[in-house]
Structures are given as structure tokens and as C-alpha cells.
């Protein structure tokens, strides 16, 4: 997997997920001799797919992490002086920001998610990264490139369990 480009790695992750789903379905359907592999085979296949996903995900995370440089802007609706965070982020991106992080300590997740998705889209249009602050679940739901965790947030190993394979955690 080390010679794959970014798009190929993302394709590989999707393929791994589809194969995992297929193995799971076949394992669920197994009754007697109708399915030609054992439960042990399904378990080995699952472990192999997990290792492949970890390797491809790790390569993608390294690639993404290497892009965290330059101007890193944190937008927070509590400090944007009533300007929408998207407007502030777009101005920062136009000014050369390479990373936008959404920090919203007071908004409910359901209210923050649309803004997070808009910010991710704005970042991707200019090749910048989008990082979600504190909330790994919102990071996953928004498709963020990564999640920033504070000392009182979910521990990194637990956040890695729910994060997408290519998402960075810092």
C-alpha cells in the first residue's frame, strides 16, 4: 500500500470496507455446508482486513498531517463578533490559511454539524484542511480531516476507535 497515491488509498479503504461487509454477510448466512468457509476463516479475514485498513489509514493520516503547516485559524462563534463562522473562515482561507478549526463550546451538536459541513466544503475547495474541535463524533459526521482533542475530551485511543481511518487526531 505504500506506493498508492491519496486517491488510490481512499479507494482501497472503501474496497476494504465493502469486502468486510461481504465477509460479514456471508458469515451471517452460514448454515451447515451452504457457505464454503469456516468461522475461523471469517475471523482471519476480518483481522487481515483490519490490518490493511490500519496501514492504509495510517499512510493517509501521515499525508494529511504533513499538510498542517502555515496559517492555522480557529473559528469560534463566541468570538466572531456575530459574523458567521463560515464568513470568517472564507476570509481566512482567502488570506492563505491552510487549516481551519471549528471551536464551538456552546452549540448543540445538531446545530454545529451543518456549519462544520459547510466549513469542510469551503476548505476542500481551496485545498485546506478542516479540523473539528473536541468532538470526535462531530468530526466523523462532518467528514473533517481531523479532530483536535483537549485534556478533558475523549482520550485519543477511544477517539481513534470511532474516527474515520484517514482522520488525524491531535
Amino acid at each position: 500500500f505504500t506506493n498508492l497515491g491519496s486517491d488510490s488509498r481512499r479507494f482501497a479503504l472503501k474496497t476494504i470496507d465493502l469486502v468486510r461487509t461481504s465477509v460479514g454477510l456471508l458469515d451471517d448466512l452460514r448454515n451447515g455446508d451452504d457457505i464454503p468457509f469456516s468461522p475461523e476463516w471469517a475471523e482471519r479475514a476480518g483481522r487481515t482486513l483490519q490490518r490493511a485498513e490500519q496501514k492504509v489509514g495510517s499512510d493517509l493520516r501521515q499525508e494529511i498531517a504533513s499538510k498542517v503547516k502555515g496559517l492555522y485559524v480557529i473559528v469560534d462563534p463566541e468570538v466572531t463578533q456575530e459574523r458567521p463562522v463560515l464568513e470568517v473562515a472564507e476570509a481566512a482561507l482567502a488570506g492563505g490559511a491552510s487549516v481551519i478549526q471549528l471551536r464551538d463550546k456552546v452549540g448543540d451538536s445538531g446545530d454545529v454539524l451543518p456549519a462544520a459541513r459547510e466549513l469542510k466544503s469551503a476548505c476542500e475547495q481551496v485545498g485546506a484542511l478542516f479540523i473539528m474541535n473536541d468532538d470526535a463524533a462531530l468530526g466523523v459526521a462532518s467528514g473533517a480531516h481531523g479532530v483536535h482533542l483537549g485534556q478533558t475530551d475523549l482520550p485519543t485511543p477511544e477517539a481513534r476507535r470511532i474516527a474515520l481511518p484517514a482522520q488525524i487526531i491531535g
Side-chain angles (χ1 to χ4, degrees):
F1 293 115
T2 56
N3 293 330
L4 296 176
S6 175
D7 290 340
S8 296
R9 286 188 184 116
R10 291 184 193 289
F11 180 76
L13 284 176
K14 289 179 182 178
T15 303
I16 290 166
D17 191 46
L18 288 171
V19 172
R20 178 183 291 121
T21 299
S22 299
V23 169
L25 287 170
L26 289 172
D27 195 37
D28 289 345
L29 293 173
R30 187 179 346 91
N31 57 359
D33 296 327
D34 294 343
I35 303 296
F37 62 84
S38 67
E40 294 78 19
W41 183 91
E43 188 176 316
R44 277 195 321 269
R47 285 193 306 266
T48 300
L49 291 166
Q50 182 179 14
R51 284 192 305 272
E53 180 182 69
Q54 288 170 345
K55 174 60 177 144
V56 174
S58 174
D59 290 348
L60 275 168
R61 288 191 304 275
Q62 287 178 9
E63 182 181 322
I64 290 168
S66 74
K67 295 177 182 177
V68 178
K69 56 186 170 192
L71 183 58
Y72 188 120
V73 175
I74 300 172
V75 293
D76 184 333
E78 287 190 85
V79 295
T80 58
Q81 299 179 359
E82 298 185 21
R83 289 175 61 198
V85 291
L86 181 60
E87 179 183 313
V88 173
E90 286 174 333
L93 291 167
S98 60
V99 182
I100 299 291
Q101 178 177 319
L102 175 58
R103 179 184 191 272
D104 189 333
K105 297 282 190 178
V106 296
D108 292 330
S109 294
D111 295 331
V112 174
L113 181 58
R117 287 180 173 156
E118 287 179 332
L119 288 169
K120 188 208 181 215
S121 177
C123 287
E124 286 193 333
Q125 288 176 14
V126 297
L129 299 178
F130 171 64
I131 306 295
M132 187 70 225
N133 191 69
D134 293 344
D135 192 330
L138 269 175
V140 170
S142 67
H145 297 100
V147 179
H148 175 273
L149 299 175
Q151 292 178 348
T152 60
D153 297 325
L154 196 61
T156 302
E158 298 305 316
R160 173 56 48 217
R161 290 178 59 168
I162 64 171
L164 299 173
Q167 287 180 317
I168 59 174
I169 298 175

